[in-house]
Amino acid sequence: MALKALGVKEGDIVLCQSLTFAATANPIIYQNAIPVFIDSNYETWNMDPNALEEALQKYGERVKAVLVVHLYGLSTDMDRIMNICNRYNVPVIEDAAESLGTYYKGKHTGTFGKFGVFSFNGNKIITTSGGGMLVSDDEERIKKVRFWSTQSRDAARYYQHSELGYNYRMSNIVAGIGRGQLKVLEQRVAKRNIFLNIIKGN
Ligand SMILES: Cc1ncc(COP(=O)(O)O)c(C=O)c1O
């Protein structure tokens, strides 16, 4: 939905982190766009800003979005990524599926780019059994996504659909389960951080 909201279409290039789960890249293909994979670095385990800049120079105006990931809940170097993307005027989408509860310089991951995408899949830090969340401060685009994700039903008294619709709505029952789990989020993030510090050798 984020890619569609940014107008990504057939033949466009989306720069995407290579070290990630397939679900980061699949939506690029849904739009018939072309994923170009960018390597990660040793410091962040996420998208390498130097490699990103090289690709932006190489592909120029064909690049319509950059898709970064905060893998395992480790934050990407958002200062450098945002600085580079702003210079090239390319919107950033953050795949924050694994980083609920992660902050970068005091700001929550998933809130730096144009869109942030969170997952509440069964293997995530809190879960609604399935589904996720799209966040943005772009109210107009969020409104449009809400429309598409609830079957694109026009504001008519009868069933009328002028645009292709999707059934991506989270049900209120599973949303309730997710809200209940917010109570244990802090505790789980603290546990995860102990583990991350061990594997990162801190
Ligand atoms: C990095 C990453 N991106 C995307 C996804 C997809 O999320 P979902 O299963 O909610 O579609 C996952 C996990 O499933 C993930 O770990």
Side-chain angles (χ1 to χ4, degrees), residues 38-49:
I38 309 294
D39 210 351
S40 294
N41 65 23
Y42 286 107
E43 287 87 62
T44 63
W45 294 20
N46 287 305
M47 190 180 279
D48 180 57

Side-chain angles (χ1 to χ4, degrees), residues 20-21 23-24 69 71 95 97-98 119-121 123-124 131:
T20 186
F21 183 55
T24 307
V69 188
L71 203 64
D95 178 346
E98 300 182 8
S119 169
F120 302 119
N121 192 38
N123 62 351
K124 295 299 178 287

Side-chain angles (χ1 to χ4, degrees), residues 51-175:
L52 170 66
E53 183 145 21
E54 242 178 76
L56 283 164
Q57 276 166 8
K58 181 171 174 183
Y59 294 105
E61 305 249 303
R62 286 188 69 195
V63 179
K64 298 297 185 234
V66 170
L67 228 169
V68 295
V69 188
H70 305 290
L71 203 64
Y72 309 125
L74 293 163
S75 172
T76 309
D77 183 350
M78 284 319 290
D79 277 352
R80 284 200 61 203
I81 297 282
M82 290 309 298
N83 184 289
I84 292 166
C85 290
N86 287 340
R87 265 196 285 120
Y88 285 82
N89 205 17
V90 177
V92 173
I93 301 170
E94 295 173 76
D95 178 346
E98 300 182 8
S99 73
L100 187 68
T102 297
Y103 290 81
Y104 174 83
K105 298 190 176 171
K107 194 168 174 285
H108 205 294
T109 51
T111 62
F112 290 82
K114 193 78 187 158
F115 289 101
V117 188
F118 293 83
S119 169
F120 302 119
N121 192 38
N123 62 351
K124 295 299 178 287
I125 199 155
I126 59 171
T127 178
T128 57
S129 78
M133 172 172 79
L134 181 71
V135 304
S136 176
D137 57 8
D138 186 331
E139 244 182 280
E140 277 312 301
R141 284 194 167 100
I142 282 289
K143 242 196 231 163
K144 193 75 204 194
V145 168
R146 201 173 278 135
F147 174 71
W148 289 329
S149 63
T150 51
Q151 304 282 23
S152 296
R153 190 175 164 192
D154 293 348
R157 291 191 66 191
Y158 41 87
Y159 283 103
Q160 178 165 315
H161 302 263
S162 313
E163 283 189 64
L164 185 66
Y166 303 76
N167 189 8
Y168 287 173
R169 183 181 61 95
M170 178 182 281
S171 85
N172 50 5
I173 295 172
V174 300

